[in-house]
Amino acid sequence: MNYLVLAPTSREYRNMNDSLQGRDLHHSYTVVRCGVGKALAAANTALAIARAGGEFDRVAVVGYAASTIGRSRGDIVAPRAARYHDCRIPQDFVPELTEPYPLMGHDDAVVWTGDSFVDAAMIADTKERFGVTSGLFDMESTAVCQAAELFGDLPVVVVKMVSDVPEEGDTEHSYDEFVDSHSDFGAIIDYLENLK
């Protein structure tokens, strides 16, 4: 299996590459820094897929994500669906922005994508608007799904390490402290290696 691995930040990119070194791998991994935010992530995903000329079998989005209450910092989560949380338009008007994208993950969770670093109030709003109780939050995954769909419906898996739980008072400072001390992505690689 040939994976295109998308890592949003320079730390996530470095951590993924460092964790791949010296491992006995069943699959091949091309790691690309896709950048932070929906537009940049989609553009860099499309560029990487186009340049590869059809060599990728799957797309993986890896790194850190905020979580709702119920998960702990350091948990590895692979959601089953990706959706935007910051689209405030009727679903029937633009379904590609409001409908969920299926993911290859096994965890009963949604990764919610938006162009903001979320806080407790934003998470509460998402829970109320969509009638959910749990999920992850990032700034890239759903946009990556859209780009992967455009290039032959490439399957996408999102594997994230919980970095912060804003409902428990975590902030961007908590995120930075966690990321600085949790750089081993071995568990993320293990998940990708064992994914059927």
Side-chain angles (χ1 to χ4, degrees):
M1 199 67 61
N2 195 359
Y3 278 92
L4 168 62
V5 180
L6 299 160
T9 68
S10 58
R11 287 187 286 190
E12 291 161 321
Y13 175 80
R14 182 181 61 243
N15 293 347
M16 188 65 181
N17 277 310
D18 288 350
S19 297
L20 284 166
Q21 297 303 312
R23 292 180 63 108
D24 184 22
L25 300 169
H26 300 345
H27 306 301
S28 62
Y29 300 91
T30 300
V31 184
V32 172
R33 182 174 172 223
C34 65
V36 176
K38 297 184 291 192
L40 193 55
N44 281 317
T45 300
L47 183 62
I49 294 171
R51 283 182 173 164
E55 74 178 60
F56 296 121
D57 303 303
R58 292 177 178 170
V59 175
V61 185
V62 302
Y64 303 101
S67 178
T68 54
I69 289 176
R71 290 192 174 85
S72 300
R73 296 168 86 191
D75 287 352
I76 301 297
V77 183
R80 290 185 184 155
R83 293 185 74 176
Y84 288 120
H85 69 80
D86 59 355
C87 287
R88 294 181 176 269
I89 54 178
Q91 184 166 344
D92 293 340
F93 283 33
V94 191
E96 62 269 23
L97 293 179
T98 55
E99 291 181 359
Y101 286 82
L103 299 172
M104 297 181 71
H106 298 125
D107 293 318
D108 188 17
V110 173
V111 58
W112 298 93
T113 299
D115 273 330
S116 302
F117 200 92
V118 296
D119 57 22
M122 294 170 76
I123 290 175
D125 176 68
T126 300
K127 285 179 168 182
E128 182 179 338
R129 280 192 298 126
F130 294 98
V132 297
T133 58
S134 68
L136 297 182
F137 292 82
D138 78 357
M139 298 173 70
E140 299 81 24
S141 291
T142 309
V144 168
C145 289
Q146 288 180 299
E149 182 180 70
L150 288 172
F151 285 88
D153 282 325
L154 283 171
V156 178
V157 59
V158 174
V159 188
K160 297 283 188 156
M161 182 184 295
V162 174
S163 55
D164 53 300
V165 183
E167 292 167 298
E168 293 179 346
D170 288 341
T171 65
E172 63 273 12
H173 303 295
S174 310
Y175 169 86
D176 266 335
E177 290 171 5
F178 180 87
V179 169
D180 285 343
S181 60
H182 292 79
S183 60
D184 184 358
F185 278 12
I188 291 174
I189 295 167
D190 289 343
Y191 190 92
L192 295 174
E193 282 285 284
N194 293 308
L195 184 63
K196 302 294 186 209

